[in-house]
Amino acid sequence: MDKNLRRWLTLFLVITVIVLVFVMRTILARDGTLPRLFDLFDTFIALGSLVVVMVGRHTLSRVDWLVGLGAGLLVGVLLPFSTLYNPYPFFEIVTDLRGRAVVNGIMTMVTAMGGLVIMHWGGPVRVTVTTMGWRQSGRSLLFGAAVGLPFAVLNGFANAWTQNRPITWQNPLAAVVDAIHPAVIEEVIYRLAFLGLLWLLFRRDWSNRQAIMLAGLLALLTHTYSHYSDLFLTQPLTALGMGAVMAFIWGIPPTLLAVRRDLESAVSFHWIQDAIRFWLGF
């Protein structure tokens, strides 16, 4: 097959599969209870990551294994103590926090390991702690939080306006701790693993820069629109509009941080968004 035709066909098929998940889930959910979009995409990405780990596990160092296991344990240990963050039931089956902690911990560990394998294969997102140590990783965490702070303030006021609710101050320590969970699990799954998996599909026929751009765009759009499982059922056009705004303001910055700096900066950008939001009572 001609290379030019193959690359466009690959892009078309990837976009088609992603769109079909959104469309079919929304249509079928009108007649019954279906898993949320996040459950579906998280599972697909975890399975893809597991395949990558099985193929490329020999590239992982001891530090890589420790980081992957540590990320999973961090998510799993913190979630049962959460007071401001309450995730939806997984596939409408796992409903309690302890059960979700186990599921999310495993998801995070598997996708982190898959993302690390892809990183060693030349992938676009670097995990600094595995290559340059804790000190440089700490600098990235501070940098991402500093970049994200003005976006977090904007996000807080945007939530107050769109939800038409006043600010109700919450325990700041609980907000800071609870925000770790969504920041770690979502950035690991979508910004490290999913972006990396898409890059693997595109890198054969597109230039590296083009593959990164396409993978980053599709990963951020998938992640952003997965927040609107319920809104797609009742107001699909509103969901499309809100998702576009969210993707532009709060999706592009962490994606750029991930591909131009490292995962840690994207995680801390995400973390401060949720920490401020939880603190303000949203």
Side-chain angles (χ1 to χ4, degrees):
M1 182 183 295
D2 177 70
K3 180 178 179 179
N4 190 53
L5 174 61
R6 186 176 61 202
R7 70 175 186 170
W8 287 107
L9 180 60
T10 301
L11 178 61
F12 173 77
L13 289 175
V14 170
I15 294 175
T16 300
V17 169
I18 292 173
V19 171
L20 277 176
V21 172
F22 279 97
V23 173
M24 294 305 297
R25 188 270 170 193
T26 301
I27 292 174
L28 294 175
R30 296 180 185 277
D31 298 321
T33 301
L34 282 186
R36 303 183 69 79
L37 289 165
F38 267 126
D39 295 341
L40 295 172
F41 282 113
D42 289 358
T43 302
F44 295 149
I45 296 166
L47 291 174
S49 298
L50 184 60
V51 172
V52 168
V53 172
M54 293 172 64
V55 173
R57 61 186 181 278
H58 62 279
T59 66
L60 296 170
S61 67
R62 183 179 299 177
V63 174
D64 294 328
W65 286 104
L66 288 174
V67 168
L69 180 61
L73 285 174
L74 179 66
V75 166
V77 169
L78 287 181
L79 185 55
F81 302 99
S82 173
T83 57
L84 301 178
Y85 174 72
N86 187 27
Y88 290 98
F90 183 69
F91 276 86
E92 303 300 325
I93 298 172
V94 182
T95 58
D96 65 295
L97 279 181
R98 287 187 177 86
R100 283 251 45 176
V102 173
V103 171
N104 289 7
I106 293 173
M107 286 274 195
T108 304
M109 181 180 65
V110 171
T111 52
M113 301 308 299
L116 286 167
V117 170
I118 295 171
M119 180 189 76
H120 289 300
W121 287 347
V125 180
R126 181 180 65 184
V127 182
T128 295
V129 69
T130 65
T131 58
M132 302 179 68
W134 292 101
R135 184 172 297 179
Q136 186 60 41
S137 177
R139 293 193 185 101
S140 290
L141 290 171
L142 291 174
F143 180 78
V147 172
L149 182 57
F151 290 89
V153 174
L154 175 62
N155 185 39
F157 284 107
N159 273 280
W161 179 63
T162 57
Q163 298 181 36
N164 194 28
R165 290 198 293 121
I167 292 173
T168 53
W169 299 99
Q170 304 296 314
N171 186 318
L173 179 59
V176 165
V177 174
D178 286 5
I180 293 173
H181 186 279
V184 171
I185 189 170
E186 291 180 29
E187 294 304 313
V188 167
I189 291 178
Y190 290 90
R191 223 75 66 182
L192 178 63
F194 192 38
L195 197 159
L197 289 168
L198 292 172
W199 173 81
L200 284 178
L201 293 175
F202 296 139
R203 67 171 181 165
R204 179 182 177 186
D205 300 314
W206 298 83
S207 70
N208 190 59
R209 182 178 180 182
Q210 290 171 330
I212 292 172
M213 289 177 60
L214 290 171
L217 179 61
L218 290 175
L220 80 86
L221 288 175
T222 302
H223 173 246
T224 300
Y225 281 111
S226 291
H227 288 84
Y228 299 110
S229 291
D230 294 331
L231 196 58
F232 271 121
L233 292 174
T234 57
Q235 301 178 63
L237 293 180
T238 301
L240 289 173
M242 288 183 62
V245 174
M246 292 289 290
F248 182 77
I249 300 177
W250 288 286
I252 292 177
T255 300
L256 291 176
L257 287 170
V259 300
R260 294 191 176 185
R261 190 176 177 100
D262 54 22
L263 179 69
E264 286 92 331
S265 59
V267 168
S268 60
F269 179 97
H270 191 145
W271 166 79
I272 202 166
Q273 309 304 309
D274 287 329
I276 296 294
R277 179 168 65 87
F278 291 160
W279 186 34
L280 297 178
F282 299 109

